[in-house]
Amino acid sequence: KNQVEQSPQSLIILEGKNCTLQCNYTVSPFSNLRWYKQDTGRGPVSLTIMTFSENTKSNGRYTATLDADTKQSSLHITASQLSDSASYICVVSESTNAGKSTFGDGTTLTVKP
Amino acid sequence: DTAVSQTPKYLVTQMGNDKSIKCEQNLGHDTMYWYKQDSKKFLKIMFSYNNKELIINETVPNRFSPKSPDKAHLNLHINSLELGDSAVYFCASSPGRGHTYNEQFFGPGTRLTVL
């Protein structure tokens, strides 16, 4: 069964600090991996999309990495801001089965002043 | 100039009622989706339509029936509402077919509360 596991489940950091969120998956055959940010009361917003051949992708202070061999991804947030407080969701899509996506359960990040 | 819009934003209803949630996208995308996010914030896909054709149908009770009158609209009709249907329902759209290398754009969500 295809699975996507994220860790930690929740994280509290001080403003200005860096943090790294993890995503491990078993989805196969692999098509792409996406990281979404979901603010409270809002729909998820895409941060990065990576295919098999991409190791890293940045979006401002967000940098995602992908190791397709070990089936691991990370999302690194640099110089955190209060507005980074949100849930971060890892989504992995198959290259068959109509590109079905498996969602992780998310990491809730709280940035405190 | 909202990209993906849903109505209503909040829906409170009694158990046993039938209700609909509407979704519209003005991005010209070919594929639309419905997701359910429960109280634990877990997002689960329910349906996916490509050009009015159903392409993904997860194990969802048949009380839930999606309707796509055209590729810009995907409405969700729920019959005989149950307490467990209480959740936030998100509509999304993406270019291309299915969950390929295409970013999905999500609507603001509809919070359904069944009493």
Side-chain angles (χ1 to χ4, degrees), chain B residues 6-59:
Chain B
Q6 297 179 226
T7 53
K9 187 168 176 62
Y10 299 96
L11 183 55
V12 181
T13 187
Q14 297 287 332
M15 213 164 46
N17 284 349
D18 303 337
K19 291 293 180 185
S20 293
I21 307 172
K22 295 184 177 181
C23 178
E24 176 181 4
Q25 53 96 2
N26 62 7
L27 298 166
H29 289 167
D30 291 328
T31 305
M32 296 184 71
Y33 314 80
W34 276 109
Y35 291 86
K36 179 181 179 181
Q37 188 170 45
D38 59 24
S39 57
K40 294 184 178 179
K41 309 295 185 185
F42 302 152
L43 261 174
K44 304 293 182 190
I45 190 167
M46 301 173 68
F47 303 101
S48 176
Y49 269 74
N50 177 264
N51 275 321
K52 303 194 297 175
E53 175 193 356
L54 180 65
I55 56 173
I56 291 178
N57 183 354
E58 290 297 295
T59 307

Side-chain angles (χ1 to χ4, degrees), chain A residues 8-45:
Chain A
Q9 187 174 31
S10 61
L11 182 62
I12 300 173
I13 62 173
L14 293 176
E15 187 178 12
K17 298 296 185 182
N18 304 334
C19 67
T20 300
L21 313 181
Q22 298 290 342
C23 174
N24 297 336
Y25 63 92
T26 61
V27 174
S28 181
F30 176 83
S31 173
N32 64 81
L33 184 146
R34 289 165 279 161
W35 281 95
Y36 284 89
K37 178 188 179 190
Q38 184 176 19
D39 293 315
T40 301
R42 308 288 293 272
V45 175

Side-chain angles (χ1 to χ4, degrees), chain B residues 58-115:
Chain B
E58 290 297 295
T59 307
V60 176
N62 57 16
R63 298 182 296 104
F64 291 78
S65 53
K67 294 281 192 303
S68 182
D70 55 61
K71 76 171 192 177
H73 296 84
L74 181 62
N75 303 323
L76 183 65
H77 189 75
I78 314 171
N79 289 328
S80 303
L81 278 156
E82 301 177 356
L83 295 177
D85 297 333
S86 295
V88 181
Y89 292 84
F90 286 100
C91 177
S93 73
S94 68
R97 179 180 174 86
H99 297 259
T100 54
Y101 187 76
N102 290 309
E103 179 181 355
Q104 291 182 40
F105 293 80
F106 283 79
T110 295
R111 180 174 292 278
L112 171 64
T113 303
V114 182
L115 303 175

